[in-house]
């Protein structure tokens, strides 16, 4: 289950990163138009880039959060590691000696 969650977080983080990159690229392509409209002041901007900036910032934050969690989560749970160690120790434990060395001469 943990491996699935880790993969899901990584996929959601990558999707958010793509969304943020898309909005940032669109904003950068509109910079010249925004500067020209601001200098001309006769053309009123309809809405402006404020919504796109908020979407890009939110998507960037979500991308960082989910990618960070996806990278930070372990691949195996502590229970699985413990069970693997126990099974490995059970198979590699030598057989107990039949008699004790104490008192034999």
């Amino acid at each position: 289950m943990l491996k699935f969650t880790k993969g899901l977080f990584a996929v959601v983080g990558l999707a958010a990163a793509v969304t943020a990159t898309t909005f940032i690229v669109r904003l950068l392509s509109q910079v010249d138009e925004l500067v020209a409209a601001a200098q001309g002041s006769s053309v009123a901007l309809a809405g402006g880039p404020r919504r796109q900036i908020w979407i890009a910032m939110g998507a960037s934050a979500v991308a960082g959060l989910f990618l960070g969690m996806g990278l930070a989560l372990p691949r195996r749970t502590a229970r699985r590691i413990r069970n693997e160690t126990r099974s490995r120790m059970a198979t590699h434990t030598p057989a107990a000696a039949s008699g004790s060395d104490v008192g034999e001469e």
Side-chain angles (χ1 to χ4, degrees):
M1 181 68 176
L2 195 59
K3 192 173 184 178
F4 172 76
T5 305
K6 179 179 177 148
L8 180 66
F9 283 161
V11 168
V12 170
L14 288 175
V18 168
T19 302
T21 303
T22 302
F23 275 96
I24 289 171
V25 167
R26 284 178 51 194
L27 283 171
L28 290 175
S29 68
Q30 293 175 354
V31 167
D32 293 333
E33 296 172 14
L34 292 171
V35 170
Q39 289 176 346
S41 76
S42 62
V43 178
L45 291 174
R50 188 175 306 238
R51 182 183 303 156
Q52 291 180 357
I53 291 171
W54 280 107
I55 291 172
M57 286 175 33
S60 297
V62 168
L65 176 71
F66 279 102
L67 282 175
M69 288 189 333
L71 293 174
L73 285 175
R75 291 183 190 166
R76 301 181 306 171
T77 61
R79 177 183 290 173
R80 182 175 171 192
I81 293 169
R82 185 173 48 247
N83 290 341
E84 288 175 0
T85 304
R86 284 181 180 166
S87 67
R88 228 180 296 134
M89 288 179 69
T91 58
H92 294 306
T93 303
S98 60
S100 175
D101 291 340
V102 178
E104 291 184 17
E105 291 184 19

